[in-house]
């Protein structure tokens, strides 16, 4: 017995040293809780990604199967999350990037087939790996002023909270030009559904637990909200918002219905792995270049911004915004795009929902290993991932958004040359539903305001180049028209 305990202690010490758990002020229990919380807040991607990608005909009329996309989504998320945790040893989980998957489904496959679209994702990933391996991506990262890095964190906080409000039905589009959004379904001005009410209850409960510094507060809030949702559904039979017959139930659960029962086990169909084609003979080279350029810019800066925000929230960034093993982190993130394309699950990238696990105390890659393993298990237990309703998970996103917003206190806003870019960065992210757009608005405005107020020499030359790239990125529609793409 004594010998076994000694071996266990040695093994635990090796794991502790490898992940720097004690060094970063964390514990094994905290990392496990953090990893579970991150999974719970991200589990919706196993359902949402196939909703976005499957059933959308490409230029040849081909579609992706829902079940297959769900399986490879969980597989890619699990593999990349574990890989990132082991190599970069940071608590940043990976999954199919939102925005990128929509770009593929609603834009790219209007020009190419699904296998060709996934090949474009792979090309994008290889370019990101090249930029990271050569140090150029790190150089761009270092060229960003610390005020903008902090603004990115604040903007992501607002963005996460806005995602939570929208996913819960607390905020919705009005369908009018003004105001474009409002409180409740269709912006009617009041909470109109039971699922949204449960979001509010979960948000308040979790907020109280976090304010009282209860260990596991976010996880307790998520579990409690899920239990309440299961009971409510069992009693009132609310049902899903979108029925199998296409019928719409405005008061239903949005993506996942909290129902227990049935067979929780399902054998995953991984038939989409390797369904890639680099034969772009039917489309012009200019079209392929523009598609790769758009995807590269979105992927590149979304990930960079997310890592910046998460590292600061975790207390792992220095005064310049740099965090441990930054080069390997940037390289592995590019590999995520390659893996996502190779599995037809869209580009797999760092997820802002990782902030929920960080808010729970996760500080190391061990939390990633936990999250990744649960994702791999989710391939076989997809029905269980549907028990936690989106409305409950959304409450954790709002809590984390509030935590990240606190970074604004570290920015000196006395100089309007700083204030305007910071404001645009933080405001454009949630309003345009894109981290990359917010970063671009901040970069371009920073360069222009400093250049025309006699401070051009204070702007790093790389920031000039990147800002020009963002101008092209923002104007790509008219450019494509002029080029006849």
């Amino acid at each position: 017995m004594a010998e076994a305990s000694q071996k266990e202690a040695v093994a635990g010490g090796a794991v502790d040293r490898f992940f720097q758990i004690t060094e970063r002020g964390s514990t094994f229990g905290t990392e496990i809780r953090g990893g579970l919380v991150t999974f719970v807040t991200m589990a919706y991607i196993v359902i949402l990604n196939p909703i976005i990608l499957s059933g959308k005909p490409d230029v040849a009329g081909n579609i992706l199967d829902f079940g297959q996309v769900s399986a490879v989504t969980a597989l890619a998320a699990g593999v990349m999350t574990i890989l990132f945790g082991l190599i970069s040893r940071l608590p940043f989980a990976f999954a199919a990037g939102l925005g990128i998957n929509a770009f593929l489904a609603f834009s790219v496959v209007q020009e190419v087939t699904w296998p060709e679209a996934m090949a474009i994702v792979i090309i994008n990933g290889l370019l990101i790996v090249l930029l990271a391996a050569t140090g150029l991506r790190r150089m761009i990262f270092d060229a960003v002023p610390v005020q903008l890095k902090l603004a990115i964190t604040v903007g992501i906080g607002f963005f996460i909270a806005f995602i939570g409000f929208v996913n819960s039905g607390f905020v919705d589009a009005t369908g009018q030009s003004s105001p474009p959004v409002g409180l409740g379904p269709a912006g009617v001005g009041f909470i109109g559904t039971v699922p949204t009410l449960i979001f509010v209850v979960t948000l308040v409960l979790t907020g109280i637990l976090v304010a009282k510094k209860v260990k596991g507060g976010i996880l307790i809030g998520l579990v409690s909200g899920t239990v309440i949702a299961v009971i409510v559904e069992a009693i009132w039979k609310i049902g899903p918002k979108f029925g199998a017959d296409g019928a719409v139930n405005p008061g239903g659960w949005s993506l996942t219905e909290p129902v227990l029962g049935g067979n929780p086990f399902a054998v995953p169909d991984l038939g989409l792995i390797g369904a890639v084609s680099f034969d772009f003979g039917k489309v012009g080279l200019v079209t392929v270049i523009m598609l790769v350029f758009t995807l590269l810019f979105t992927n590149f800066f979304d990930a960079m911004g997310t890592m910046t925000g998460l590292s600061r929230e975790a207390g792992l960034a220095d005064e310049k915004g740099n965090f441990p093993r930054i080069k390997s982190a940037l390289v592995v993130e590019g590999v995520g795009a390659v893996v996502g394309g190779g599995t037809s699950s869209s580009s797999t990238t760092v997820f802002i929902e990782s902030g929920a696990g960080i808010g729970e105390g996760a500080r190391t890659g061990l939390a990633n290993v936990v999250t990744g393993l649960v994702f791999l298990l989710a391939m076989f237990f997809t029905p269980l991932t549907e028990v936690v309703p989106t409305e409950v998970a959304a409450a954790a996103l709002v809590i984390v958004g509030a935590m990240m917003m606190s970074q604004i206190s570290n920015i000196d806003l006395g100089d309007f040359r700083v204030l305007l870019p910071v404001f645009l960065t933080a405001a454009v992210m949630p309003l345009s539903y894109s981290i990359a757009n917010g970063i671009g608005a901040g970069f371009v405005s920073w360069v222009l305001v400093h250049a025309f107020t006699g401070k051009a020499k204070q702007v790093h030359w790389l920031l000039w180049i990147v800002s020009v790239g963002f101008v092209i990125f923002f104007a790509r529609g008219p450019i494509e028209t002029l080029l006849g793409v």
Side-chain angles (χ1 to χ4, degrees):
M1 287 290 290
E3 184 179 348
S5 299
Q6 185 177 6
K7 288 182 178 179
E8 184 178 341
V10 171
V15 173
D16 190 340
R17 290 191 297 274
F18 180 80
F19 288 111
Q20 299 174 291
I21 297 172
T22 302
E23 183 179 331
R24 294 182 183 176
S26 186
T27 65
F28 281 90
T30 299
E31 294 301 307
I32 292 171
R33 280 201 313 272
L36 291 174
V37 166
T38 294
F39 171 77
V40 170
T41 57
M42 290 175 60
Y44 71 87
I45 195 64
V46 179
I47 306 299
L48 181 57
N49 197 44
I51 286 177
I52 294 173
L53 296 181
S54 68
K56 307 297 189 301
D58 61 19
V59 69
N62 303 311
I63 62 174
L64 300 180
D65 177 74
F66 186 99
Q68 288 182 322
V69 175
S70 180
V72 294
T73 297
L75 174 64
V79 169
M80 284 309 307
T81 298
I82 293 173
L83 183 66
F84 188 84
L86 293 175
I87 294 178
S88 299
R89 303 174 201 176
L90 297 167
F92 306 164
F94 277 57
L98 295 175
I100 295 176
N101 52 10
F103 175 60
L104 292 174
F106 298 106
S107 296
V108 176
V109 294
Q110 302 304 311
E111 305 285 344
V112 299
T113 65
W114 275 113
E116 292 165 352
M118 294 306 167
I120 289 175
V121 173
I122 292 177
I123 294 171
N124 151 70
L126 292 174
L127 290 173
I128 291 177
V129 170
L130 179 63
L131 291 172
T134 57
L136 182 57
R137 198 176 188 189
R138 172 67 186 272
M139 288 174 64
I140 294 174
F141 185 89
D142 290 341
V144 180
V146 66
Q147 295 96 327
L148 284 182
K149 288 179 180 176
L150 289 168
I152 289 170
T153 305
V154 174
I156 290 175
F158 279 117
F159 187 28
I160 287 178
F162 190 51
I163 290 173
F165 286 132
V166 172
N167 287 353
S168 66
F170 190 80
V171 171
D172 195 11
T174 62
Q176 303 174 11
S177 57
S178 181
V181 295
L183 181 67
V188 294
F190 56 86
I191 297 172
T193 71
V194 173
T196 302
L197 180 60
I198 290 177
F199 155 77
V200 174
V201 171
T202 306
L203 175 63
V204 172
L205 173 61
T206 307
I208 292 171
L209 293 172
V210 172
K212 291 176 67 65
K213 302 186 186 305
V214 175
K215 286 187 176 181
I218 295 178
L219 181 58
I220 293 172
L222 287 171
V223 172
S224 301
T226 301
V227 171
I228 294 171
V230 169
I231 294 173
V232 168
E233 177 60 26
I235 296 174
W236 281 289
K237 309 293 183 185
I238 296 171
K241 180 175 290 186
F242 303 103
D245 58 354
V248 178
N249 172 18
W253 305 95
S254 64
L255 288 178
T256 53
E257 187 181 0
V259 177
L260 298 176
N263 186 3
F265 180 81
V267 177
D269 182 348
L270 303 176
L272 286 177
I273 295 178
V276 178
S277 173
F278 289 89
D279 182 9
F280 302 114
K282 294 182 180 180
V283 294
L285 179 61
V286 175
T287 298
V288 174
I289 291 174
M290 288 304 296
L291 291 175
V292 171
F293 175 79
T294 303
L295 192 61
L296 178 65
F297 246 70
T298 303
N299 209 156
F300 186 105
F301 288 101
D302 263 20
M304 192 184 81
T306 302
M307 288 184 186
T308 300
L310 293 177
S311 61
R312 282 200 171 276
E313 179 61 22
L316 299 175
D318 60 22
E319 66 279 357
K320 295 182 179 179
N322 298 316
F323 51 88
R325 296 183 177 84
I326 184 172
K327 184 175 182 179
S328 65
L330 297 175
V331 170
V332 175
E333 194 280 325
V335 173
V338 177
V339 170
T343 57
S344 293
S345 61
S346 178
S347 179
T348 303
T349 186
V350 61
F351 243 55
I352 52 179
E353 280 84 350
S354 305
I358 291 172
E360 192 59 51
R363 294 294 180 270
T364 78
L366 180 58
N368 259 35
V369 173
V370 174
T371 303
L373 288 175
V374 181
F375 261 119
L376 294 180
L377 286 174
M379 287 194 301
F380 300 91
F381 296 92
T382 301
L384 287 181
T385 65
E386 300 176 16
V387 174
V388 181
T390 305
E391 289 81 0
V392 170
L397 299 185
V398 176
I399 293 293
V400 173
M403 291 175 173
M404 296 182 76
M405 191 195 71
S406 65
Q407 291 291 335
I408 198 169
S409 63
N410 296 317
I411 307 175
D412 184 0
L413 300 175
D415 185 346
F416 197 77
R417 280 183 292 254
V418 173
L419 175 59
L420 181 61
V422 166
F423 170 75
L424 290 176
T425 300
V428 172
M429 278 189 200
L431 294 180
S432 69
Y433 233 63
S434 168
I435 295 174
N437 287 347
I439 293 174
F443 282 14
V444 174
S445 60
W446 182 280
V447 169
L448 293 178
V449 171
H450 279 75
F452 288 99
T453 56
K455 301 292 183 180
K457 293 183 179 180
Q458 295 182 6
V459 181
H460 196 286
W461 64 271
L462 264 177
L463 205 60
W464 281 92
I465 294 175
V466 174
S467 295
V468 171
F470 266 116
V471 170
I472 297 173
F473 175 71
F474 289 140
R476 64 189 183 278
I479 292 173
E480 289 174 355
T481 301
L482 290 174
L483 295 175
V485 177

